[in-house]
Amino acid sequence: MKLQEIGIDPSTMRLEVDIMEQKGNFAIIFSDGKAKLTALPQHGETKIITHQGKVKRVKFDEGEEF
């Protein structure tokens, strides 16, 4: 799975991510009280599909230069 759940501290409602631990480009998606982190592909698209104001799906379309 490409999406990895990130814990939110319930007492402070804060989200902490160590950006030095992550390699390359990444995106954090937050919806409906949940946060998830995903690495972005070297070549391709990452689409975030929403429905009724909530994230419904994340689609990855990867390619490679010839």
Side-chain angles (χ1 to χ4, degrees), residues 22-38:
Q22 304 302 319
K23 294 182 175 85
N25 298 322
F26 64 94
I28 297 174
I29 304 164
F30 183 81
S31 178
D32 201 28
K34 292 187 257 181
K36 294 191 179 188
L37 181 136
T38 184

Side-chain angles (χ1 to χ4, degrees), residues 1-7 15-29 35-40 42:
M1 182 188 279
K2 295 187 178 208
L3 293 173
Q4 132 187 78
E5 190 138 356
I6 303 173
L15 173 71
E16 291 192 26
V17 177
D18 184 3
I19 60 170
M20 299 306 285
E21 187 178 290
Q22 304 302 319
K23 294 182 175 85
N25 298 322
F26 64 94
I28 297 174
I29 304 164
K36 294 191 179 188
L37 181 136
T38 184
L40 298 174
Q42 290 286 334

